[in-house]
């Protein structure tokens, strides 16, 4: 079975743009810059790749409420290739990361985690529907799951 998973670490390049579809589904777009340092003949070189990240539903709303420009994040998801026509009429191709998970890295920072109530489920932790047939979360009762 072919896999299209990607994990990247980078810095948020612009504040997340939260929007809603006509049916009320939340979506967010956020840019990230991924830096790579390497040596050529003893001299350090630096290369930056810019990527667009797209997320949906509760994840989109959490991203908009939690991340801002400059935040260092770790993103996991899948690549999505789309074609469009620019303002000059030229055909273009864009590669987006459709996020399954995104969050701040803790390498050079600290973070505070606050659970958000899920929609219509009495306050349990939010779940992503991006993966389809995923197993239900275990019930830990009053006990913390970690």
């Amino acid at each position: 079975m072919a896999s299209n998973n990607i994990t990247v670490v980078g810095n948020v390049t612009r504040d997340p743009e939260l929007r809603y579809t006509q049916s009320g589904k939340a979506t967010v777009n956020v840019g990230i810059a991924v830096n790579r340092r390497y040596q050529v003949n003893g001299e350090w070189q630096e290369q930056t790749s810019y990527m667009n990240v797209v997320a949906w539903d509760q994840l989109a709303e959490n991203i908009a409420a939690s991340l801002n420009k400059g935040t260092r994040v770790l993103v996991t998801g899948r690549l999505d290739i789309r074609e469009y026509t620019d303002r000059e009429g030229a055909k273009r191709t864009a590669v987006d990361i459709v996020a399954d998970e995104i969050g701040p890295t803790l390498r050079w920072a600290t973070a505070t985690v606050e659970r958000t109530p899920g929609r219509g489920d009495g306050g349990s932790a939010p779940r992503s529907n991006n993966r389809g047939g995923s197993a239900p979360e275990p019930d830990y009762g009053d006990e913390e799951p970690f």
Side-chain angles (χ1 to χ4, degrees), residues 21-36:
T21 64
Q22 289 182 342
S23 64
K25 190 173 191 173
T27 183
V28 72
N29 287 299
V30 63
I32 61 168
V34 178
N35 296 317
R36 181 172 87 101

Side-chain angles (χ1 to χ4, degrees), residues 38-45:
Y38 56 96
Q39 278 189 326
V40 174
N41 298 328
E43 289 193 35
W44 283 101
Q45 305 291 316

Side-chain angles (χ1 to χ4, degrees), residues 14-74:
R14 62 183 186 276
D15 288 335
E17 302 165 24
L18 180 65
R19 291 181 287 196
Y20 292 88
T21 64
Q22 289 182 342
S23 64
K25 190 173 191 173
T27 183
V28 72
N29 287 299
V30 63
I32 61 168
V34 178
N35 296 317
R36 181 172 87 101
R37 285 188 78 200
Y38 56 96
Q39 278 189 326
V40 174
N41 298 328
E43 289 193 35
W44 283 101
Q45 305 291 316
E46 196 162 319
Q47 178 183 2
T48 304
S49 299
Y50 296 94
M51 301 175 192
N52 189 50
V53 177
V54 179
W56 295 90
D57 299 323
Q58 186 69 49
L59 178 59
E61 292 176 344
N62 291 348
I63 290 169
S66 303
L67 302 179
N68 51 34
K69 183 178 178 178
T71 305
R72 187 163 179 83
V73 293
L74 186 138

